[in-house]
Amino acid sequence: MNNDTKTEGRPWSAERAPRRGPRPLTLLVIAIVVVTMAGLLIANLATSGKTDSPAVQTPSAPGENNGSDSTAQEAGEGLHKKDGVPVGYARTEAGAKAAASNFQAAQSTAKFLADKDTRHKVTSVIMAPESVTQRLKTLDEQTETAMGKLGILQNGRTADGAPLINRQATLAAQVTSFSKDLATVELWTAAVTGVADANSKLPPTSEFNQWNYTLRWVDGDWRAVTITRSAGLVPQATAGQPSSPNSFRELGGDADAPPYAG
């Protein structure tokens, strides 16, 4: 799925977003979560999780095959967690939207970037079987390089104890196509990513993105086939001054992260 060239009806698509110069280090760490890397640490943007399209039903326009308004449907009555990731979604537009939102949240933690075991467990849960191997290969290569450049240890902190901040909030989500077997979901997110230390190469920095999920119905649940990133809406900056990197130290770790979407 490439949403950079199809923007009609998509309010936060790349073509509608104001253009700003790239922030290489910011893009680097955020892109690890969704398979793209850019800027000073790793050249050549890459995408993982892309495989040959599975033999599933071609998605139709949202609402054509689900039988009712998705806003009135439950995302899933049997939601439970597997390796920390909510699973058990309904085979509806609402279920697909909740799955994409929660999959994004599951990857938006410091532990996902810093701890290889956590990264492998989460990825194995959210990705479709045919996409797991390639995604893990790319994520591991890029993440280990990036964490090394930033001086992040497996515990999510530098040797001096400065924590890695990796938080993303989904501001809006829309299902752009849906069938009983395949769905595409776009998320508009705001993120704060960086190391809470005054001497960091990447101090906590804000970023707005669009994440594009292709989901497939696998063994009674939604799983991600591909996850890509493109430019999202960038609002006007406020008049406030940026906080010092050290002021973000209290946000270190994932214990006080917001709960998953329903």
Side-chain angles (χ1 to χ4, degrees):
M1 178 177 60
N2 185 347
N3 292 333
D4 288 332
T5 59
K6 297 178 66 176
T7 63
E8 185 177 356
R10 302 178 186 182
W12 55 79
S13 61
E15 291 300 321
R16 298 175 184 265
R19 298 294 184 178
R20 299 192 309 174
R23 297 172 178 168
L25 286 172
T26 302
L27 294 178
L28 166 69
V29 178
I30 294 176
I32 295 172
V33 181
V34 287
V35 231
T36 56
M37 293 289 289
L40 301 178
L41 300 185
I42 294 181
N44 299 325
L45 290 172
T47 300
S48 72
K50 284 193 173 182
T51 63
D52 292 337
S53 299
V56 295
Q57 179 178 346
T58 302
S60 61
E64 284 188 7
N65 292 330
N66 65 333
S68 63
D69 187 351
S70 64
T71 59
Q73 298 172 334
E74 295 294 333
E77 297 180 357
L79 283 177
H80 60 283
K81 286 188 177 182
K82 180 178 180 181
D83 289 329
V85 182
V87 296
Y89 300 95
R91 200 171 188 174
T92 62
E93 288 187 29
K97 186 185 295 185
S101 298
N102 284 339
F103 292 167
Q104 186 67 21
Q107 299 171 95
S108 303
T109 67
K111 196 171 184 180
F112 180 85
L113 297 181
D115 184 79
K116 184 176 182 178
D117 289 341
T118 297
R119 189 164 60 250
H120 278 233
K121 288 179 180 178
V122 170
T123 301
S124 295
V125 172
I126 70 175
M127 300 302 295
E130 68 271 19
S131 302
V132 172
T133 300
Q134 182 58 48
R135 181 167 172 80
L136 282 176
K137 180 178 182 295
T138 305
L139 283 176
D140 287 344
E141 291 174 354
Q142 296 175 342
T143 302
E144 290 171 9
T145 299
M147 295 299 98
K149 293 286 187 179
L150 295 174
I152 300 297
L153 306 177
Q154 188 174 356
N155 63 1
R157 294 175 178 268
T158 65
D160 295 332
L164 172 67
I165 307 298
N166 182 38
R167 300 289 179 82
Q168 293 196 48
T170 297
L171 304 178
Q174 62 179 353
V175 177
T176 56
S177 63
F178 182 83
S179 75
K180 67 177 183 179
D181 293 317
L182 195 69
T184 57
V185 182
E186 293 179 352
L187 307 178
W188 176 40
T189 66
V192 176
T193 308
V195 180
D197 184 81
N199 298 318
S200 171
K201 297 177 181 178
L202 177 63
T205 308
S206 63
E207 187 79 1
F208 292 87
N209 295 290
Q210 176 183 316
W211 303 112
N212 313 300
Y213 278 76
T214 298
L215 304 173
R216 186 165 74 87
W217 188 257
V218 181
D219 296 331
D221 210 353
W222 291 112
R223 306 281 287 276
V225 178
T226 62
I227 306 171
T228 60
R229 171 188 170 278
S230 56
L233 286 178
V234 180
Q236 188 78 18
T238 65
Q241 294 299 312
S243 301
S244 68
N246 287 331
S247 66
F248 287 87
R249 283 179 176 263
E250 294 182 0
L251 292 177
D254 302 320
D256 57 346
Y260 287 97

